[in-house]
Amino acid sequence: MELFFNPFDNLVCILLGISFTVWFTSLLVFIIVPAIFGVSFGIRRLYMKSLLKIFEVRTWVVQRTHRPPEFEMSDIFYFARRGVESIMDDEVTKRFSAEELESWNLLTRSNHNFHYISLRLTVLWGLGLLIRYGILLPLRVTLAFTGVGLLVFLTSIVGLFPNGRMKNFMSEKVHLMCYRICVRALTAIITYHDSENKPKNGGICVANHTSPIDVIILASDGCYAMVGQIHGGLMGVIQRSMVKACPHIWFERSEVKDRHLVAKRLSDHVEDKSKLPILIFPEGTCINNTSVMMFKKGSFEIRATVYPVAIKYDPRFGDAFWNSSKFGMVNYLLRMMSSWAIVCSVWYLPPMSREEGEDAVQFANRVKAAIARQGGLVDLLWDGGLKRGKVKDTFKEEQQKLYSKMLVGTQEDRSRS
Amino acid sequence: MGSRASTLLREEEIEEIKKETGFSHSQITRLYSRFTSLDKGENGTLSREDFQRIPELAINPLGDRIINAFFPEGEDQVNFRGFMRTLAHFRPIEDNEKNKNPPTSEPLNSRTNKLLFAFRLYDLDRDDKISRDELLQVLRMMVGVNISDEQLGSIADRTIQEADTNGDNSISFSEFIKVLEKVDVEQKMSIRFLH
């Protein structure tokens, strides 16, 4: 007598049942429920983007593979078109100049494309000018002088105390107070998010860099050990007195090039848990706050917890980006102090550490992606050093290699046949 | 406000450029803003260095040839008119039908003019012929160090053989057009503008 239920059939039924369940559940979770709540996973966008990318590559590849790939005079069209496209618009050069606004905020400096529109607007602008330069600027300059002066004076006094808990406590209070005065000198309206993730001793705080004001913004909410090159002039005076109150890491100009020395000093600082977290801007230069560019891997090579911070400015009130090739520091600060306000958001992201098998570059990119995502900035692979320097030849060589591969394939086929 | 006013584009100029190139008003102002952002010296013209500052162009194997296409013979600076005239070659051809005032002479983005642009990329010494040597040099730019001289030489020889109909061992513009008659030049040499 035959078995009613063939065990094989049973297995097939079970498998079918499982596949159906999985399929329905995915359908429900990924499509229906989000649709009900109006939430999106972004899968369709991802899908669309991937399709577009594929189309671009496939068109190039398909046209080459229909016939045995050989050099054709039309190959030049691809390079020509790509070249002219980058002349019309490219992803990199626009990051080094101030962001364009959609509507005018009554500041002449953001007036790139808006011409004379109406009498009323001009009157408003004139009024704004009076307020900004007549009332706000003198007020702010006074505050700035007070803040900086107090910083230098009080930190020197704190420096006279013997090292110990008292000194650290006082140093903290002094630093915070002076930075807060400076914040008011800029009329900076800052919203801090997720303060439970604030950097702790023995860690490294990394943030995206838009301007020197970033330092003031972060340091008015917590105490950090600064890293940088010793300058001359007023900056140098400030630096030297700050270091009397608590240990910051200042380098002589000559020492900056010595990567091992830099790494050693950073590691030593990090290991001493009584010292404050280090504040570093891994992009190495000021970017215009629409994107995050390549992070230099130096700070990610040290064995320490990394506390990422994302800073996003609202450009409608005043553009905080420092275009150092256009404006000097003093000019820049005056512009800052005669804007309406500096409005920004700071997000403290959860701490990250280098994982097993991850090298410094991959870790740096992971942190960069997290910061870009939180701040709503574009995550770019390009190096911020392109602001001043040239792009490396290796990128061009990559392109040449790819093209050669397509041609050389032919030659090998021909020699075989 | 002072220095900016002198570099703002006047309405008459925009009209002239519109007639000559076929770009729309908004496209011209957009490209003008692009031109000024590339013009680091702020003197109303672009030099070769201004172009080379664009990283995506600097890594293009034919970057230098493309930059060269913007500069007339013997000159080192290109003004906005020249800039637009060269860019006009890459306007899509269908846009011509939308244009209410078609230019009286052949438009800059006609099929022939697009082919002429490409021809000039190959023709290094501007003698209206692509010699074997010139072809080799351009090929070398495209492949870098990855292909040997002999292989490259045979590619060049074969290409000239197929294209050369009058036996002078170089490719003239009419021979170039003939070789590419089946290619969809309009689509490959056009850049779509997002308004």
Side-chain angles (χ1 to χ4, degrees):
Chain A
M1 203 160 132
E2 269 182 3
L3 277 166
F4 207 131
F5 292 106
N6 191 331
F8 180 65
D9 279 336
N10 210 6
L11 187 63
V12 170
C13 281
I14 293 175
L15 284 174
L16 269 174
I18 293 177
S19 345
F20 260 136
T21 319
V22 170
W23 188 68
F24 265 122
T25 319
S26 329
L27 196 73
L28 201 73
V29 169
F30 285 103
I31 303 180
I32 298 174
V33 171
I36 294 173
F37 291 104
V39 165
S40 170
F41 280 118
I43 298 178
R44 273 166 297 152
R45 291 219 173 273
L46 194 65
Y47 167 75
M48 182 184 86
K49 274 197 198 124
S50 333
L51 272 181
L52 283 173
K53 276 221 170 64
I54 293 172
F55 288 148
E56 217 195 271
V57 173
R58 292 294 288 153
T59 327
W60 174 228
V61 172
V62 160
Q63 278 150 7
R64 309 285 296 127
T65 54
H66 267 327
R67 293 165 275 172
E70 295 170 348
F71 170 70
E72 284 161 21
M73 301 215 74
S74 55
D75 286 352
I76 211 172
F77 292 169
Y78 174 73
F79 291 113
R81 205 194 72 230
R82 290 294 294 268
V84 176
E85 270 174 358
S86 68
I87 292 177
M88 286 189 181
D89 194 14
D90 79 300
E91 279 301 318
V92 182
T93 52
K94 63 186 182 195
R95 309 293 173 190
F96 298 132
S97 55
E99 194 181 349
E100 280 186 29
L101 290 172
E102 280 172 16
S103 62
W104 196 31
N105 61 351
L106 295 179
L107 293 174
T108 326
R109 60 197 66 153
S110 6
N111 186 357
H112 298 284
N113 295 316
F114 308 108
H115 313 297
Y116 178 82
I117 298 175
S118 71
L119 182 65
R120 196 173 72 148
L121 207 61
T122 316
V123 168
L124 268 174
W125 173 73
L127 207 65
L129 201 73
L130 267 165
I131 298 176
R132 284 186 295 120
Y133 282 91
I135 304 174
L136 295 176
L137 184 61
L139 183 68
R140 288 173 183 163
V141 169
T142 327
L143 279 172
F145 273 111
T146 319
V148 171
L150 273 176
L151 183 68
V152 171
F153 179 59
L154 289 174
T155 44
S156 310
I157 293 194
V158 171
L160 296 170
F161 280 72
N163 287 352
R165 280 244 314 264
M166 186 61 179
K167 183 177 188 184
N168 289 344
F169 177 73
M170 293 201 37
S171 156
E172 197 186 302
K173 294 296 165 219
V174 161
H175 273 107
L176 280 175
M177 178 184 89
C178 296
Y179 280 118
R180 286 191 183 130
I181 298 180
C182 289
V183 161
R184 278 153 187 71
L186 292 165
T187 318
I189 304 165
I190 313 168
T191 319
Y192 295 98
H193 303 261
D194 307 326
S195 295
E196 66 269 12
N197 292 325
K198 256 200 268 199
K200 303 187 177 47
N201 283 10
I204 300 182
C205 173
V206 306
N208 60 313
H209 201 24
T210 307
S211 111
I213 294 178
D214 293 341
V215 174
I216 301 178
I217 287 178
L218 289 179
S220 59
D221 192 43
C223 286
Y224 299 94
M226 315 279 172
V227 180
Q229 197 184 302
I230 279 244
H231 289 94
L234 179 62
M235 200 64 213
V237 171
I238 300 175
Q239 285 176 318
R240 268 177 268 269
S241 54
M242 275 171 71
V243 83
K244 286 185 195 145
C246 74
H248 295 282
I249 308 176
W250 303 127
F251 290 101
E252 298 292 331
R253 203 190 177 85
S254 48
E255 293 173 321
V256 173
K257 298 287 179 189
D258 187 347
R259 287 188 47 196
H260 289 294
L261 179 66
V262 171
K264 177 120 194 356
R265 280 186 68 179
L266 290 176
S267 321
D268 287 344
H269 184 109
V270 159
E271 269 158 28
D272 185 345
K273 296 297 175 208
S274 71
K275 292 195 180 156
L276 299 164
I278 304 178
L279 178 59
I280 289 190
F281 298 101
E283 279 162 312
T285 186
C286 293
I287 312 291
N288 75 350
N289 209 235
T290 59
S291 70
V292 184
M293 298 192 107
M294 190 176 95
F295 275 7
K296 308 236 176 307
K297 61 176 184 185
S299 14
F300 299 92
E301 283 170 335
I302 304 167
R303 293 233 155 270
T305 326
V306 167
Y307 296 88
V309 175
I311 307 175
K312 177 84 179 117
Y313 290 88
D314 187 340
R316 289 171 298 177
F317 296 91
D319 189 359
F321 168 56
W322 182 29
N323 192 342
S324 49
S325 41
K326 249 185 159 178
F327 309 110
M329 173 71 102
V330 178
N331 200 337
Y332 167 71
L333 285 173
L334 281 173
R335 285 165 68 94
M336 284 301 99
M337 288 196 249
S338 58
S339 309
W340 291 113
I342 309 283
V343 179
C344 66
S345 291
V346 174
W347 285 272
Y348 292 104
L349 296 162
M352 295 170 124
S353 303
R354 183 140 59 113
E355 284 167 9
E356 284 305 312
E358 203 180 28
D359 70 3
V361 175
Q362 290 165 327
F363 181 38
N365 284 335
R366 196 159 58 89
V367 174
K368 177 159 78 82
I371 293 180
R373 213 177 315 129
Q374 181 64 76
L377 306 162
V378 176
D379 187 2
L380 289 182
L381 286 175
W382 291 101
D383 186 346
L386 289 171
K387 194 193 217 175
R388 296 198 181 82
K390 286 197 163 166
V391 67
K392 294 206 194 87
D393 282 332
T394 41
F395 291 104
K396 192 195 274 202
E397 285 155 21
E398 272 299 309
Q399 298 241 342
Q400 288 168 329
K401 223 196 269 183
L402 275 168
Y403 181 67
S404 310
K405 272 212 189 94
M406 274 190 252
L407 292 187
V408 168
T410 330
Q411 303 305 324
E412 281 169 0
D413 293 336
R414 284 155 134 246
S415 55
R416 263 185 247 128
S417 63
Chain B
M1 282 260 242
S3 58
R4 282 208 174 279
S6 58
T7 53
L8 277 173
L9 210 49
R10 296 191 316 275
E11 275 304 313
E12 312 94 67
E13 277 187 83
I14 299 182
E15 283 305 312
E16 283 172 37
I17 297 175
K18 211 177 185 183
K19 280 209 196 74
E20 195 181 355
T21 62
F23 280 115
S24 74
H25 196 284
S26 60
Q27 286 170 337
I28 295 174
T29 38
R30 262 256 304 237
L31 286 169
Y32 184 69
S33 139
R34 173 68 171 164
F35 180 84
T36 40
S37 73
L38 290 173
D39 179 14
K40 290 282 183 279
E42 288 184 359
N43 52 2
T45 59
L46 294 178
S47 66
R48 286 190 167 79
E49 287 77 39
D50 288 324
F51 282 101
Q52 276 153 358
R53 226 174 273 120
I54 304 172
E56 286 162 38
L57 187 62
I59 65 170
N60 189 315
L62 292 176
D64 287 332
R65 292 301 304 152
I66 297 168
I67 294 174
N68 213 47
F70 283 84
F71 295 88
E73 183 78 53
E75 292 187 23
D76 286 328
Q77 301 285 333
V78 56
N79 61 12
F80 184 58
R81 296 289 288 268
F83 182 70
M84 291 302 279
R85 229 175 274 133
T86 316
L87 288 182
H89 287 100
F90 285 82
R91 260 186 70 236
I93 291 186
E94 310 85 71
D95 281 5
N96 282 350
E97 281 129 34
K98 297 182 202 148
N99 200 337
K100 291 180 208 107
N101 310 315
T104 45
S105 57
E106 188 167 9
L108 284 166
N109 67 336
S110 69
R111 186 194 160 88
T112 316
N113 277 325
K114 285 183 197 286
L115 284 168
L116 188 59
F117 184 87
F119 183 80
R120 293 213 176 108
L121 288 177
Y122 282 110
D123 184 13
L124 298 167
D125 59 6
R126 301 191 197 216
D127 66 350
D128 296 327
K129 283 202 304 276
I130 305 175
S131 67
R132 179 181 189 272
D133 210 39
E134 287 172 339
L135 187 56
L136 261 177
Q137 284 190 57
V138 174
L139 274 168
R140 183 53 74 196
M141 286 181 217
M142 289 198 264
V143 305
V145 300
N146 301 291
I147 297 188
S148 71
D149 283 334
E150 298 89 57
Q151 278 182 325
L152 218 58
S154 60
I155 294 177
D157 287 330
R158 188 180 38 80
T159 312
I160 295 197
Q161 215 178 24
E162 286 171 359
D164 187 22
T165 47
N166 67 351
D168 63 352
N169 219 30
S170 61
I171 305 176
S172 69
F173 185 49
S174 41
E175 287 165 353
F176 188 71
I177 298 182
K178 189 89 187 17
V179 169
L180 295 172
E181 64 184 353
K182 298 225 176 54
V183 174
D184 185 2
V185 178
E186 290 84 349
Q187 191 254 325
K188 289 191 184 180
M189 289 281 276
S190 294
I191 297 173
R192 303 231 150 263
F193 243 111
L194 297 135
H195 290 273

